[in-house]
Amino acid sequence: MRRLLMAVVLVIFSAAASFGAVQDFGEFTLDIPNGWKATVEDDAVEVIISIVKNDKSSSITLIYG
C-alpha cells in the first residue's frame, strides 16, 4: 500500500511540473506545457489554435467555429 501511495504522489508531482501556464482562449482554457508556444488565428468563420513545441518536433492544431 505504501508503494502505491508513493507512486501516486510521484506521478502527481511530475505531471504538475510539466505544465507551464494556463492560457485563456475565450470559450475555453488550455494548459500549455513548458517548451511549447500557442498562437491564435481568428477569421470570420473559425478560430485556429496552433500549439507547437519549441524545437518544432511536435504540434497540435485545434479548429473551432
Side-chain angles (χ1 to χ4, degrees):
M1 183 68 159
R2 187 174 179 163
R3 278 185 160 179
L4 177 62
L5 180 61
M6 293 296 284
V8 169
V9 169
L10 180 63
V11 167
I12 289 171
F13 281 114
S14 64
S18 68
F19 287 103
V22 175
Q23 290 188 2
D24 186 8
F25 294 99
E27 296 182 24
F28 57 92
T29 59
L30 294 173
D31 291 326
I32 306 300
N34 288 329
W36 291 68
K37 181 180 177 183
T39 58
V40 178
E41 297 177 33
D42 189 4
D43 63 15
V45 178
E46 60 194 15
V47 176
I48 302 170
I49 300 172
S50 298
I51 306 168
V52 180
K53 194 171 182 181
N54 287 345
D55 65 2
K56 298 187 171 94
S57 64
S58 301
S59 68
I60 300 169
T61 302
L62 304 168
I63 301 172
Y64 71 97

